[in-house]
Amino acid sequence: MTKEDILKTIKSNNYKITPQRELIINIMLNSNSYLSVREIYEKVKSSFPQVSLDTVYRNLSLLKDINVLSEATIGNNIMYEIHKDMHEHIMKCLNCGKVYELDICPIDLCRNTLDGFEVVDHKIEITGYCKNCKNKMEEDNK
């Protein structure tokens, strides 16, 4: 989604483009991974010191409700990214929270076993430990 698409979506849902909302959109567009509420809040607060965490939560919730943002849970954190118009296949590290996109669609591998079921959308999320975290955990256990 481009910024223009997002602004059009907000307006078409009868919401205003507030400075805080626009900043959240810019933060999300400039991120290449999921961001936690706390990360977004800290970035917004650097430009708007008076902003409350509740304001950030409300804006994230609104942007999620109108399909501008996607929400995922990584460990105990709710994370956000700009909504993609296609389904996603990701692996998330339970330790550092880094998200990796899969290059293949696992549904394509098992489509012939779906026995007439019509898939209209799906989301595949694999959780585990990335190579760096796994190696660090192994070293710590020695």
Side-chain angles (χ1 to χ4, degrees), residues 34 70-71 81 83-90 102-111 114 117-126:
Y34 282 91
S70 295
E71 181 182 274
E81 76 167 351
H83 180 74
K84 297 177 181 160
D85 292 328
M86 53 185 268
H87 56 269
E88 63 180 19
H89 314 103
I90 58 174
L102 296 174
D103 294 332
I104 60 167
C105 176
I107 290 293
D108 289 342
L109 302 174
C110 65
R111 200 170 286 283
L114 297 176
F117 187 83
E118 181 184 352
V119 177
V120 294
D121 192 19
H122 65 278
K123 179 178 181 178
I124 297 175
E125 179 178 298
I126 301 168

Side-chain angles (χ1 to χ4, degrees), residues 9 15-16 22-24 40 46 57-58 68-70 80 85 87 96 99-101 104 106 122-123 135:
T9 300
Y15 293 105
K16 293 180 181 176
E22 189 166 8
L23 180 57
I24 290 171
I40 297 164
S46 68
Y57 268 112
R58 278 195 314 272
V68 168
L69 296 181
S70 295
Y80 294 90
D85 292 328
H87 56 269
C96 68
V99 177
Y100 303 86
E101 291 194 31
I104 60 167
H122 65 278
K123 179 178 181 178
N135 289 340

Side-chain angles (χ1 to χ4, degrees), residues 58-71:
R58 278 195 314 272
N59 277 287
L60 292 172
S61 178
L62 176 133
L63 293 170
K64 181 180 134 288
D65 289 346
I66 62 172
N67 290 321
V68 168
L69 296 181
S70 295
E71 181 182 274

